[in-house]
Amino acid sequence: MKPALKRTLMIGLLALLLAGLIAGCNRGRRDETPEPVSAEGDLPANALQIAAERGLTPDDINAALKTFMPSGQWDEYLMFASGGHSGNMMVIGIPSMRILKHIAVFTPEAWQGYGFGARDIEEMLDAGNVNGVKIRMGDTHHPALSETEGDYDGQYVFINDKASARVAVIDLRDFETKQIVKDPNIISNHGSTFVTPNTEYVVQGAQYATPLGWEYAPIEEYEEKYRGLITLWKFNRETGRIVPEESFSIEAPPYWQDLCDAGKLVSDGWAFCNSFNTEMATGGIEDGNPPIEAGASQRDMDYLHIFNWQRAEAAVKAGKAEMINGMAVLRMPVAVEEGVLYLAPEPKSPHGADVTPDGKYIVVSGKLDPHVTIYAFDKIEQAIAGGNWELDPFGVPVLNYDAVKHAQIELGLGPLHSIFDDQGFGYTSLFLDSAVAKWKVGDEDPESWQMVEKLPVQYNIGHLTAAEGDTVSPDGKYVVVLNKWSVDRFAPVGPLLPQNIQLVDISDGNFKVIYDMAMGIGEPHNAQIIKTDKINAWTAYPEVGWDPIKQEKSEYATLPGEERIERNGNTVEIFMTSVRSHFTPERVRVKKGDHVIWHITNIETAHDATHGFQLGGHNISLSLEPGETVTFELDVSNDGTYAYYCTEFCSALHLEMMGYLLVEP
Ligand code: RUQ
Ligand code: CUA
């Protein structure tokens, strides 16, 4: 056979193989729909037999029918759940509870090329470093979807890192982290992230008080030098970035600010954070002091922090803030003077503060109080207008409890967080009871706020979330409870057990657990659930040569035919492309001691045509989504022969998608 003919045949064969492979993957939704069963129709003859053999109860069958998603069909909702001390976030389909994605945020994840060489990502992670220490972990707690007029708009999601007081921005066009900001004045945050109704600001409450800038001060000087803080991170929707220069903080007493929620509709402009440890306990059991948990639980009341971010913004614009470590801070006396900051007593070690969908009430749960306490926003306004307060030791007005407290509902032990549905019910997690309390959201009549029923869940429950539940118009249908301590629910996998989620059906008056899901990673703190069709994610980047961090075409975009290796002294710059099933160039020759700048453009535009790139011996792992350009840099300090290859099984000839890095001595 002539070599030319042989080559043509080979290429033809390859093309066939590839076409077959691509056609073989049935990727869309179900294309031919068999007749669904009708309500009067018969079930397949063996349905009951299967159920009987598996020992299923009618409730089990009901649960299975409500959660099963036929192959290729999409879930109605997406849940964005924190991954806790994994430092990342998870996307889970509801009602199937299928895990769709881990989004790397604070912690490197090799499979998505996050934090293993990609230059822009390293720079972004470095923006979250603390005093020069590279921070490559996090403790994510509260995801917040961006909102327009108090409704999730599907554009962005934010999440905090409690451990180092950082906030991240994730763009929902590609579900990737775009920015990490570090608060320069606090070292931990918790009441974060929560957005104002038009995502003007991302609200962040501190947690453990330190001197501002966490500089050293003896713990004996706690009251004098340690402070709490509430930060309003300004968000620019057009650039998709938090703007630290336009952000500001409000100094607060060294009570430990906890969960926050922004006001909405009638209470727009205000935000609410509760606090615990108004005792200002600092522990020291080793010195014979009461342990922190006892010291911090002595008083009957802690303080709900009530602040007006619009007035704070105006005061900052009027030059009334002080710059502290590069951040505008409204000091406490100024915040009080400007009518920005108030406190209201709240029963025993509160945790969650949640604003009702109509913005009229704030529901506070005291961990050590069996009630939720409901504050009426109009009563808060009246107390403020009427000067109905006393001053706390820091000169902050404490509104009269009886004047602002509207109602209380006794729910059970250890209430933590509340969420709402579309039928006028609230749901509160009961940590100690391992249950969810359902209660009637009342009106001006305090007696109208009533306990309805309690649903036992199988673990100690922390947060709970509902479909579109933090918006001005919740959907109802589903509540997801986020648990700790799975004990005996799953087959043993060693002493470190998976943490868990349960799906609760609340449609049509139901109130039943219909799915148990192990997350497989760290504690799911909070989550938000959005309608899937509100999200318009890209299937490929808009142009070949895309820089996902800047969300524009990269200056290093390399098109077919432009591949090259340029040497300039000791610096070698590589412009590479990837396409099924090769990298070009396939041989990269450098010398020991060279500095290598390596750009790779995935020139594919097809849905799902991702290539990966790992370079043995160099800690490099990249993910090249269709159209993406990635750059990494290397100081080549060892000579030798190294292989780089594609990590995504992208075609039948994926194993051949490799090349050699030849480092001459
Ligand atoms: S926490 S279980 Cu939000 Cu970090 Cu309450
Ligand atoms: Cu590209 Cu495997």
Side-chain angles (χ1 to χ4, degrees):
M1 202 184 290
K2 286 206 176 108
L5 183 62
K6 202 165 146 192
R7 224 183 62 215
T8 315
L9 271 176
M10 273 292 288
I11 291 173
L13 195 74
L14 252 175
L16 268 175
L17 250 171
L18 284 177
L21 194 89
I22 293 165
C25 308
N26 192 352
R27 287 188 168 120
R29 301 190 205 203
R30 195 150 70 166
D31 30 22
E32 80 236 21
T33 319
E35 270 304 289
V37 293
S38 71
E40 309 78 44
D42 290 328
L43 287 173
N46 61 347
L48 284 175
Q49 191 193 336
I50 294 172
E53 276 168 14
R54 295 197 62 208
L56 302 182
T57 66
D59 273 357
D60 295 336
I61 296 171
N62 201 35
L65 291 176
K66 288 197 165 179
T67 54
F68 173 74
M69 290 304 295
S71 175
Q73 286 194 15
W74 295 358
D75 283 294
E76 186 182 359
Y77 292 95
L78 292 183
M79 178 165 77
F80 291 81
S82 80
H85 40 299
S86 80
N88 292 335
M89 194 189 285
M90 290 172 90
V91 187
I92 296 164
I94 306 257
S96 75
M97 305 300 270
R98 293 176 295 192
I99 298 174
L100 304 183
K101 194 165 195 177
H102 284 207
I103 303 176
V105 185
F106 297 107
T107 305
E109 271 210 41
W111 83 274
Q112 48 189 289
Y114 191 86
F116 291 91
R119 190 168 69 186
D120 290 359
I121 293 172
E122 296 295 340
E123 285 169 1
M124 183 183 63
L125 286 165
D126 281 343
N129 289 348
V130 178
N131 302 348
V133 177
K134 258 189 197 284
I135 309 290
R136 291 295 186 270
M137 44 65 74
D139 183 17
T140 54
H141 280 231
H142 309 106
L145 289 154
S146 57
E147 294 181 12
T148 300
E149 291 177 8
D151 231 331
Y152 304 148
D153 55 38
Q155 293 188 345
Y156 298 94
V157 61
F158 308 90
I159 197 159
N160 69 313
D161 163 31
K162 169 171 167 168
S164 299
R166 301 178 300 167
V167 167
V169 181
I170 293 132
D171 188 330
L172 294 179
R173 283 173 293 183
D174 60 1
F175 282 55
E176 290 188 6
T177 306
K178 302 300 172 192
Q179 185 186 24
I180 292 174
V181 290
K182 163 81 194 98
D183 193 301
N185 288 312
I186 50 173
I187 198 65
S188 69
N189 68 23
H190 190 232
S192 172
T193 51
F194 299 90
V195 298
T196 55
N198 284 298
T199 322
E200 299 94 336
Y201 290 96
V202 180
V203 181
Q204 172 195 276
Q207 182 121 83
Y208 306 122
T210 62
L212 294 185
W214 64 93
E215 60 185 33
Y216 175 75
I219 193 107
E220 292 72 24
E221 296 172 14
Y222 185 86
E223 285 186 36
E224 199 187 325
K225 301 226 166 117
Y226 288 48
R227 287 294 172 264
L229 202 74
I230 290 153
T231 297
L232 288 125
W233 292 106
K234 178 77 191 160
F235 185 62
N236 181 325
R237 204 185 276 271
E238 271 60 61
T239 59
R241 291 293 185 275
I242 283 173
V243 191
E245 305 75 47
E246 293 174 29
S247 305
F248 59 87
S249 300
I250 303 165
E251 184 188 27
Y255 313 143
W256 293 348
Q257 286 77 36
D258 206 20
L259 282 252
C260 305
D261 202 358
K264 48 187 104 167
L265 302 171
V266 288
S267 54
D268 190 12
W270 293 84
F272 311 89
C273 298
N274 53 33
S275 65
F276 61 104
N277 197 16
T278 49
E279 295 83 353
M280 296 185 279
T282 56
I285 28 176
E286 58 289 346
D287 300 328
N289 296 334
I292 293 180
E293 80 266 28
S297 315
Q298 283 160 3
R299 299 182 67 215
D300 283 338
M301 293 284 176
D302 288 290
Y303 294 131
L304 176 68
H305 292 46
I306 301 166
F307 60 95
N308 188 307
W309 58 264
Q310 288 174 343
R311 286 184 202 157
E313 180 186 59
V316 171
K317 287 198 175 135
K320 296 188 174 156
E322 202 177 300
M323 289 305 282
I324 302 179
N325 298 313
M327 181 74 123
V329 180
L330 277 184
R331 302 306 297 245
M332 254 187 302
V334 184
V336 171
E337 173 72 33
E338 297 294 315
V340 166
L341 180 64
Y342 300 89
L343 304 171
E346 46 182 2
K348 284 200 105 47
S349 303
H351 190 51
D354 297 286
V355 177
T356 52
D358 59 10
K360 289 185 182 166
Y361 303 96
I362 301 104
V363 180
V364 167
S365 310
K367 295 180 298 231
L368 302 179
D369 184 90
H371 302 89
V372 284
T373 303
I374 292 105
Y375 297 79
F377 179 68
D378 59 357
K379 294 186 179 177
I380 290 175
E381 279 186 309
Q382 283 158 22
I384 290 174
N388 190 358
W389 65 61
E390 286 171 8
L391 296 180
D392 87 332
F394 297 90
V396 183
V398 182
L399 305 179
N400 180 291
Y401 180 54
D402 292 323
V404 294
K405 181 188 82 173
H406 180 64
Q408 275 194 322
I409 319 173
E410 184 168 344
L411 299 180
L413 298 180
L416 292 183
H417 300 283
S418 301
I419 193 84
F420 306 94
D421 72 5
D422 60 334
Q423 305 291 320
F425 294 105
Y427 300 81
T428 300
S429 51
L430 302 174
F431 178 78
L432 297 174
D433 273 352
S434 291
V436 179
K438 175 178 174 181
W439 46 273
K440 181 90 201 93
V441 176
D443 52 29
E444 297 87 59
D445 174 11
E447 298 303 315
S448 62
W449 298 73
Q450 292 285 343
M451 171 76 180
V452 178
E453 58 179 312
K454 230 193 251 190
L455 172 73
V457 294
Q458 277 65 36
Y459 330 94
N460 290 118
I461 171 178
H463 276 272
L464 74 183
T465 185
E468 302 258 330
D470 288 312
T471 69
V472 292
S473 58
D475 276 13
K477 293 189 187 174
Y478 301 109
V479 163
V480 172
V481 304
L482 303 124
N483 306 305
K484 341 285 184 192
W485 299 86
S486 69
V487 193
D488 56 359
R489 304 304 288 185
F490 301 99
V493 290
L496 179 61
L497 301 193
Q499 307 218 6
N500 311 285
I501 290 179
Q502 290 184 310
L503 178 68
V504 178
D505 175 16
I506 59 162
S507 63
D508 308 320
N510 288 312
F511 197 32
K512 277 211 169 89
V513 172
I514 54 170
Y515 202 92
D516 265 26
M517 175 199 169
M519 301 246 310
I521 59 167
E523 182 171 329
H525 281 268
N526 199 9
Q528 285 192 333
I529 303 174
I530 183 174
K531 262 202 136 20
T532 304
D533 61 17
K534 281 190 177 176
I535 293 193
N536 290 305
W538 290 330
T539 54
Y541 282 111
E543 256 184 275
V544 168
W546 197 258
D547 175 342
I549 295 283
K550 297 205 181 81
Q551 295 287 39
E552 61 187 34
K553 191 160 174 180
S554 164
E555 55 182 306
Y556 308 110
T558 308
L559 297 179
E562 296 173 355
E563 299 93 344
R564 63 200 183 275
I565 299 178
E566 291 171 356
R567 175 175 283 278
N568 189 345
N570 278 344
T571 302
V572 179
E573 193 158 6
I574 301 155
F575 296 84
M576 179 176 269
T577 59
S578 70
V579 70
R580 278 163 286 175
S581 290
H582 51 266
F583 293 108
T584 308
E586 293 181 326
R587 295 171 185 170
V588 174
R589 291 190 178 83
V590 299
K591 294 195 180 64
K592 178 174 167 170
D594 279 345
H595 179 69
V596 176
I597 305 170
W598 196 319
H599 313 285
I600 313 179
T601 298
N602 180 1
I603 59 173
E604 306 262 7
T605 52
H607 193 179
D608 207 6
T610 294
H611 299 285
F613 179 95
Q614 291 196 340
L615 172 59
H618 291 83
N619 209 37
I620 300 293
S621 180
L622 313 176
S623 178
L624 301 147
E625 277 75 79
E628 180 171 358
T629 294
V630 181
T631 298
F632 67 96
E633 295 187 46
L634 275 186
D635 283 313
V636 191
S637 43
N638 296 309
D639 55 42
T641 304
Y642 300 94
Y644 54 84
Y645 66 95
C646 172
T647 47
E648 293 273 339
F649 211 110
C650 52
S651 79
L653 295 176
H654 147 81
L655 290 179
E656 288 79 351
M657 188 166 176
M658 65 81 66
Y660 283 106
L661 169 68
L662 302 155
V663 187
E664 296 168 15

